[in-house]
Amino acid sequence: MKIVALAGGVGGAKLADGFYRARPDADLTVIVNTGDDFTHLGLRICPDLDTVCYTLAGLANPVTGWGRLEESYATLDAVEMLGGPTWFRLGDRDLGTHLVRSDLLRAGKSLSEITRQFCQRWGIRANVFPMSDDPVATIVHTQADGDLAFQDYFVRLRCQPEVTGFTFQGIDSARPTPGILEAIQAADLVVVCPSNPWVSIAPILGVQGIRSALKARENVVAVSPLIGGQAIKGPAAKMFRELGWKPAALSVANQYQDFIKSFLLDSADVDDCEEIRQWGIIPYVSDIIMKDIPGRIRLAKYILNLASQLQGGTQSS
Ligand code: FO1
């Protein structure tokens, strides 16, 4: 079975890991947002790619979801001692990733080649692709602080400034990473993971050809990152509110309505189903929180079962 997952950071990584564990025999492709990538202390940092890879490799910090398990911060302490920036917490082991990646990028390797090499080294059997090898940078437009680089907004300012919109710099010329459009075309199931629609999934959809490749498929399922009007993690609900949308599963489905065939939402949001159905999208209701690894596997299995129902033509919710 060929599964394609579109993922941002922690929520996307958890569901991708659910598929990886639930169906070890499947051909899993994860297409990852790179709009959060930035250069810091001279190093190229790709937070969502690393979160997905560390999670699939069993190397992720289970508390934060990002960064590495059994991490230490001796290098960051040394940076602080010298008056360098410490607002972005780079651990010692994590720094190893950024050092080697930055070196290989300077030597002319593409981000996707480097990611493939890292996955081999970490023993990851899934295909993890950056959405593009061309750089894309998410810019957050804010009411009070002007235009902010994504990590400045997200980490340094803790998502506090009120947002007025987003720009994905470089998106118009960003080409899809070789192989990802083909993976979407050949997939038995395409899943939009419960990642932030504004800053994790929107950049992926903005890369040339991806949205139209999804529109051409009948098997695209999205999972809500909002439950009962709140984000499972991160600022998604706050962003919906600030941009004038109701923070609700319904609003997420609305953003994806041109290309999804079904939408999975939490039992807390069952009231949203009727309107979603009117848009021609089949709503499915389940417990979608992934509290632990068995929770990731349970959700993945639920979606796999739903996919086989859709293929078999049974439509139930
Ligand atoms: N998120 C934080 O909230 N604070 C940090 O200091 C931080 C450091 C960090 C280092 C490496 C990495 O791969 C991710 C890191 N993140 C941190 C997470 C990351 O910035 C965001 O979660 C994503 O960009 C949003 O998906």
Side-chain angles (χ1 to χ4, degrees):
M1 179 175 200
K2 292 189 167 75
I3 306 167
V4 169
L6 272 54
V10 178
K14 285 182 177 173
L15 184 55
D17 191 46
F19 288 117
Y20 191 57
R21 289 169 185 268
R23 286 294 299 270
D25 56 319
D27 178 349
L28 174 65
T29 296
V30 192
I31 301 172
V32 184
N33 170 42
T34 56
D36 299 9
D37 296 8
F38 73 133
T39 301
H40 185 64
L41 287 164
L43 300 174
R44 193 67 185 155
I45 321 279
C46 305
D48 288 356
L49 266 181
D50 292 344
T51 298
V52 168
C53 290
Y54 291 160
T55 304
L56 295 178
L59 295 172
N61 179 326
V63 178
T64 54
W66 51 264
R68 285 191 56 161
L69 190 67
E70 291 165 4
E71 189 56 287
S72 56
Y73 290 88
T75 311
L76 204 68
D77 290 345
V79 168
E80 183 166 35
M81 173 71 195
L82 297 172
T86 56
W87 57 270
F88 197 77
R89 309 274 311 153
L90 292 170
D92 298 326
R93 286 185 170 77
D94 190 31
L95 272 163
T97 306
H98 313 314
L99 283 167
V100 178
R101 176 167 46 223
S102 304
D103 201 36
L104 291 172
L105 283 169
R106 272 191 297 271
K109 270 205 168 196
S110 69
L111 185 58
S112 57
E113 287 170 322
I114 297 166
T115 307
R116 195 176 317 122
Q117 176 179 324
F118 286 6
C119 284
Q120 268 165 15
R121 294 276 172 162
W122 284 321
I124 298 170
R125 298 176 323 276
N127 314 302
V128 181
F129 287 106
M131 63 191 198
S132 177
D133 279 326
D134 301 315
V136 174
T138 298
I139 304 297
V140 184
H141 306 296
T142 72
Q143 198 74 261
D145 299 77
D147 297 348
L148 297 168
F150 181 78
Q151 298 297 344
D152 253 4
Y153 162 80
F154 195 91
V155 175
R156 194 173 62 79
L157 299 172
R158 298 191 174 86
C159 309
Q160 278 160 0
E162 188 175 321
V163 304
T164 56
F166 307 97
T167 302
F168 308 116
Q169 256 175 14
I171 200 81
D172 292 340
S173 49
R175 293 155 299 175
T177 301
I180 64 179
L181 297 182
E182 293 79 357
I184 293 171
Q185 279 150 14
D188 298 301
L189 170 67
V190 182
V191 183
V192 181
C193 289
S195 299
N196 186 315
W198 298 103
V199 291
S200 295
I201 301 298
I204 303 178
L205 298 175
V207 173
Q208 288 167 27
I210 294 191
R211 200 171 192 124
S212 47
L214 294 171
K215 278 189 193 178
R217 300 307 319 269
E218 293 294 323
N219 55 1
V220 186
V221 180
V223 183
S224 178
L226 299 185
I227 297 181
Q230 304 207 325
I232 299 164
K233 188 174 175 18
K238 179 176 178 285
M239 288 175 174
F240 271 99
R241 212 174 296 114
E242 290 170 358
L243 294 169
W245 291 67
K246 186 178 171 200
L250 180 76
S251 303
V252 179
N254 187 290
Q255 300 250 322
Y256 300 152
Q257 66 165 304
D258 58 316
F259 65 89
I260 59 171
K261 293 297 168 294
S262 47
F263 187 72
L264 178 54
L265 68 175
D266 196 80
S267 20
D269 299 314
V270 70
D271 291 350
D272 289 358
C273 287
E274 200 39 57
E275 198 163 341
I276 292 172
R277 205 173 279 118
Q278 281 168 17
W279 300 332
I281 299 165
I282 308 165
Y284 286 88
V285 177
S286 183
D287 169 13
I288 61 169
I289 294 193
M290 296 174 280
K291 286 199 189 82
D292 48 21
I293 288 174
R296 297 175 192 176
I297 298 171
R298 183 192 42 71
L299 183 58
K301 284 188 171 165
Y302 181 91
I303 298 167
L304 288 163
N305 181 43
L306 185 157
S308 56
Q309 275 183 45
L310 285 176
Q311 273 160 7
T314 317
Q315 297 187 356
S316 70
S317 57

PDB file of all heavy atoms in Angstrom, residues 32 69 95 115 199 224 238 313:
ATOM      1  N   VAL A  32       7.175  17.192   3.605  1.00  0.00           N
ATOM      2  CA  VAL A  32       7.306  18.025   4.803  1.00  0.00           C
ATOM      3  C   VAL A  32       7.473  19.511   4.457  1.00  0.00           C
ATOM      4  O   VAL A  32       8.212  19.867   3.529  1.00  0.00           O
ATOM      5  CB  VAL A  32       8.516  17.538   5.655  1.00  0.00           C
ATOM      6  CG1 VAL A  32       8.610  18.320   6.960  1.00  0.00           C
ATOM      7  CG2 VAL A  32       8.421  16.040   5.946  1.00  0.00           C
ATOM      8  N   LEU A  69      15.875  13.307  21.879  1.00  0.00           N
ATOM      9  CA  LEU A  69      15.846  12.552  23.136  1.00  0.00           C
ATOM     10  C   LEU A  69      17.235  12.637  23.767  1.00  0.00           C
ATOM     11  O   LEU A  69      18.225  12.721  23.059  1.00  0.00           O
ATOM     12  CB  LEU A  69      15.554  11.107  22.712  1.00  0.00           C
ATOM     13  CG  LEU A  69      15.227  10.027  23.689  1.00  0.00           C
ATOM     14  CD1 LEU A  69      13.891  10.312  24.345  1.00  0.00           C
ATOM     15  CD2 LEU A  69      15.132   8.688  22.935  1.00  0.00           C
ATOM     16  N   LEU A  95      22.583  19.724  17.095  1.00  0.00           N
ATOM     17  CA  LEU A  95      23.557  20.535  16.358  1.00  0.00           C
ATOM     18  C   LEU A  95      24.363  19.695  15.374  1.00  0.00           C
ATOM     19  O   LEU A  95      24.743  20.182  14.302  1.00  0.00           O
ATOM     20  CB  LEU A  95      24.503  21.235  17.350  1.00  0.00           C
ATOM     21  CG  LEU A  95      23.984  22.585  17.848  1.00  0.00           C
ATOM     22  CD1 LEU A  95      24.722  23.020  19.112  1.00  0.00           C
ATOM     23  CD2 LEU A  95      24.143  23.653  16.760  1.00  0.00           C
ATOM     24  N   THR A 115      18.526  14.732   3.063  1.00  0.00           N
ATOM     25  CA  THR A 115      17.509  14.110   3.918  1.00  0.00           C
ATOM     26  C   THR A 115      17.484  12.596   3.685  1.00  0.00           C
ATOM     27  O   THR A 115      17.364  11.820   4.633  1.00  0.00           O
ATOM     28  CB  THR A 115      16.129  14.753   3.652  1.00  0.00           C
ATOM     29  OG1 THR A 115      16.263  16.171   3.784  1.00  0.00           O
ATOM     30  CG2 THR A 115      15.071  14.254   4.608  1.00  0.00           C
ATOM     31  N   VAL A 199       0.426  27.778   8.450  1.00  0.00           N
ATOM     32  CA  VAL A 199       1.884  27.885   8.309  1.00  0.00           C
ATOM     33  C   VAL A 199       2.598  26.551   8.090  1.00  0.00           C
ATOM     34  O   VAL A 199       3.802  26.541   7.843  1.00  0.00           O
ATOM     35  CB  VAL A 199       2.516  28.634   9.516  1.00  0.00           C
ATOM     36  CG1 VAL A 199       2.114  30.092   9.496  1.00  0.00           C
ATOM     37  CG2 VAL A 199       2.149  27.984  10.849  1.00  0.00           C
ATOM     38  N   SER A 224      -8.311  17.031  11.304  1.00  0.00           N
ATOM     39  CA  SER A 224      -8.372  18.355  11.934  1.00  0.00           C
ATOM     40  C   SER A 224      -7.282  18.528  12.995  1.00  0.00           C
ATOM     41  O   SER A 224      -7.113  17.668  13.852  1.00  0.00           O
ATOM     42  CB  SER A 224      -9.740  18.551  12.601  1.00  0.00           C
ATOM     43  OG  SER A 224      -9.747  19.817  13.229  1.00  0.00           O
ATOM     44  N   LYS A 238      -5.464  30.401  17.524  1.00  0.00           N
ATOM     45  CA  LYS A 238      -5.229  31.848  17.674  1.00  0.00           C
ATOM     46  C   LYS A 238      -5.137  32.504  16.290  1.00  0.00           C
ATOM     47  O   LYS A 238      -5.693  33.576  16.057  1.00  0.00           O
ATOM     48  CB  LYS A 238      -3.935  32.026  18.477  1.00  0.00           C
ATOM     49  CG  LYS A 238      -3.504  33.450  18.727  1.00  0.00           C
ATOM     50  CD  LYS A 238      -2.252  33.463  19.611  1.00  0.00           C
ATOM     51  CE  LYS A 238      -1.743  34.873  19.846  1.00  0.00           C
ATOM     52  NZ  LYS A 238      -1.058  35.455  18.700  1.00  0.00           N
ATOM     53  N   GLY A 313     -16.411   1.862  -1.681  1.00  0.00           N
ATOM     54  CA  GLY A 313     -17.635   2.559  -2.027  1.00  0.00           C
ATOM     55  C   GLY A 313     -18.633   2.732  -0.883  1.00  0.00           C
ATOM     56  O   GLY A 313     -19.691   3.306  -1.055  1.00  0.00           O
TER      57      GLY A 313
END
